[in-house]
Structure formats: C-alpha cells, structure tokens
Amino acid sequence: MLKRFFVLTALVALLTFATLAPAGANHSWEDFHWARATNPISLQIVDSMTGEWDTYLPLVNADWNASSVINTSLEAGSTAYADRILCLPVAGKIRACNAENPDVTWLGLARVWLSGNHITQATTQVNDFWFNTSLYNDPNAKRHVLCQEIGHDFGLDHTYVEPSCMDDINGLFDPAFVDPGPHDYAQLETIYTHLDGGSGGGGGGCKGRKCTGSQSILGHDHGDHDHGGKVSTEIVRKGDVTVITFIHWAI
C-alpha cells in the first residue's frame, strides 16, 4: 500500500511538471549558438538605430534579457545613414540598424555568420520605408519585427504555439505578440545548456536539414509557406563560413 502511494505521488508530480513545463520548444535553427564559457552569455548589441527605434530597442533588449541564459547590453554605434543602411557586422557582437530603403520589399531581416555551429557575428535591420507607410506604421508591428529579428540572432527559428514575437504569421499588430513567450525562453535554455571551451566553431559550416538544398533561397514563396508566413531564408556558404539571412517580407 505504501509503495502504491509513492508511485501515485511520483506520477502526480510528473504530470504536474509536464503540465507546467512549456511544450513544443523546438524552434532552434539546428544547433547554432554563440560560443561561451559561462551562462548567461554576455553579448553587446551595437545600437545603430535612430528615432523611435531607440525607444523600441531597449524594450526588446530587456525582453530577451529575461532569459536565464542571455545577458545583452546596448553599445552606442554609428548612426550615419551609410552605416545604418549597410549595417556591417561587428565581430563577436550583434548590430541593430534602421534605414529607409525603398529599393527592397522587406520589413526586417536578420543576418547570422557561422563558423561551424558557432555564431560569430550577427545583424538586425528594419526598413523605415515600409514602416512609414499606412500599412505598417504601427508601434506593435515595429516592436514585433525588431524582437523577431534579434531572436534569430540568438539562434531561434519561428514558432506558432503561443503568442510570441517569433511568430511570423500571427499578431503583427497585436500587443500580445511584441515580446518573447515562455517557449522562446525554454528553447534558449535548450540551445545554451552546454558550455563551450572558447570562441569560434568546429569546422564544417552549415549542416543539417535546414541547410540542405540550394546555396541561396530567395523570394518569400520559399519561406515558411506551410504556415502561410511571408518569410524566406537565404543560405550562402563561402569555405568554412556560412551566412544565413532571415527575411520578413512586406509584400
């Protein structure tokens, strides 16, 4: 009888944990991550943003810092137009930029450089041209896209299981979708569970099911079309370096 009691107690505890724990946290981009010797990882986001984006970026930074394995801080960067529209990467850091670019049809994009499975540098860009139109001139949309692109810079893919800024098909104008959700934090903990001995990556470049196929995938019809999303992913390999670009299209 006593043994049965302990078995039932254990089952109740297990079911309770399964109910409380986030489910479906499997939206990493393979196992790409920033190399680090300790958790949380300390990263700088170079702030090359102007105007109201300087209000949104600290909010997004604070949202991602709620993760137990992420510790990012903002660092002032150049806000000259040429630097913002080029948004060149800074080794070992994330760079965030905004600029008006009428020649492209994306709202935002994240670009991640890999050496092996380690992220070595990353950028996030948002397009003021489209965000200044009546279609997208909305504070929730701006924060949603900025949050999503920064999330890609940590190694996250899209998710559709709960309100989250990592959802590319729902909630663009919904305040419930402007920040990460519990599944995002759970996935980051999974990605950054192990520690690395140092920086850099063990060779081989981009590998896995998401890195097969053509070297470059362009056009939003090649993105998450199974979910109806207006996104695409471009993968370019040059020797041991792989560059992945996540593009969130306006049209």
Side-chain angles (χ1 to χ4, degrees), residues 107 136 138 140-142 144-145 169-174 177 248:
L107 283 173
Y136 295 108
D138 180 272
N140 294 323
K142 294 175 182 179
H144 174 103
V145 172
I169 61 174
N170 300 302
L172 182 61
F173 304 102
D174 188 337
F177 287 75
H248 194 304

Side-chain angles (χ1 to χ4, degrees), residues 102-169:
D103 296 326
V104 295
T105 56
W106 47 259
L107 283 173
L109 63 81
R111 186 165 284 138
V112 178
W113 282 257
L114 301 169
S115 176
N117 286 335
H118 287 163
I119 302 171
T120 59
Q121 55 192 11
T123 61
T124 281
Q125 294 175 260
V126 291
N127 190 353
D128 285 332
F129 175 80
W130 286 100
F131 278 117
N132 287 334
T133 67
S134 59
L135 287 174
Y136 295 108
N137 192 3
D138 180 272
N140 294 323
K142 294 175 182 179
R143 187 169 166 184
H144 174 103
V145 172
L146 182 60
C147 177
Q148 183 175 132
E149 305 311 331
I150 293 289
H152 288 316
D153 290 339
F154 296 134
L156 290 177
D157 201 354
H158 301 111
T159 183
Y160 310 98
V161 297
E162 66 182 3
S164 165
C165 67
M166 298 309 297
D167 189 329
D168 67 300
I169 61 174

Side-chain angles (χ1 to χ4, degrees), residues 29-151:
W29 187 265
E30 295 300 327
D31 60 347
F32 303 142
H33 59 278
W34 292 85
R36 74 256 170 265
T38 61
N39 276 333
I41 179 174
S42 295
L43 284 172
Q44 285 73 48
I45 299 178
V46 179
D47 179 4
S48 290
M49 308 201 90
T50 59
E52 61 186 315
W53 294 104
D54 265 334
T55 300
Y56 299 129
L57 184 60
L59 295 174
V60 169
N61 181 63
D63 285 337
W64 285 115
N65 271 336
S67 166
S68 62
V69 294
I70 298 293
N71 181 20
T72 55
S73 57
L74 300 181
E75 173 186 311
S78 172
T79 56
Y81 176 76
D83 291 326
R84 289 187 290 114
I85 198 165
L86 290 174
C87 203
L88 297 177
V90 180
K93 300 179 181 182
I94 296 170
R95 188 174 191 178
C97 311
N98 69 290
E100 185 163 325
N101 190 345
D103 296 326
V104 295
T105 56
W106 47 259
L107 283 173
L109 63 81
R111 186 165 284 138
V112 178
W113 282 257
L114 301 169
S115 176
N117 286 335
H118 287 163
I119 302 171
T120 59
Q121 55 192 11
T123 61
T124 281
Q125 294 175 260
V126 291
N127 190 353
D128 285 332
F129 175 80
W130 286 100
F131 278 117
N132 287 334
T133 67
S134 59
L135 287 174
Y136 295 108
N137 192 3
D138 180 272
N140 294 323
K142 294 175 182 179
R143 187 169 166 184
H144 174 103
V145 172
L146 182 60
C147 177
Q148 183 175 132
E149 305 311 331
I150 293 289

Side-chain angles (χ1 to χ4, degrees), residues 139-237:
N140 294 323
K142 294 175 182 179
R143 187 169 166 184
H144 174 103
V145 172
L146 182 60
C147 177
Q148 183 175 132
E149 305 311 331
I150 293 289
H152 288 316
D153 290 339
F154 296 134
L156 290 177
D157 201 354
H158 301 111
T159 183
Y160 310 98
V161 297
E162 66 182 3
S164 165
C165 67
M166 298 309 297
D167 189 329
D168 67 300
I169 61 174
N170 300 302
L172 182 61
F173 304 102
D174 188 337
F177 287 75
V178 300
D179 49 19
H183 286 75
D184 299 314
Y185 297 129
Q187 185 61 64
L188 286 173
E189 290 176 7
T190 299
I191 294 172
Y192 290 96
T193 294
H194 80 280
L195 298 177
D196 301 292
S199 60
C206 185
K207 297 179 180 179
R209 63 182 176 84
K210 294 181 180 178
C211 296
T212 57
S214 61
Q215 292 274 329
S216 179
I217 308 171
L218 295 174
H220 59 265
D221 58 327
H222 292 285
D224 284 345
H225 56 274
D226 291 337
H227 299 282
K230 294 195 298 184
V231 299
S232 67
T233 306
E234 176 185 332
I235 303 170
V236 177
R237 304 178 186 88

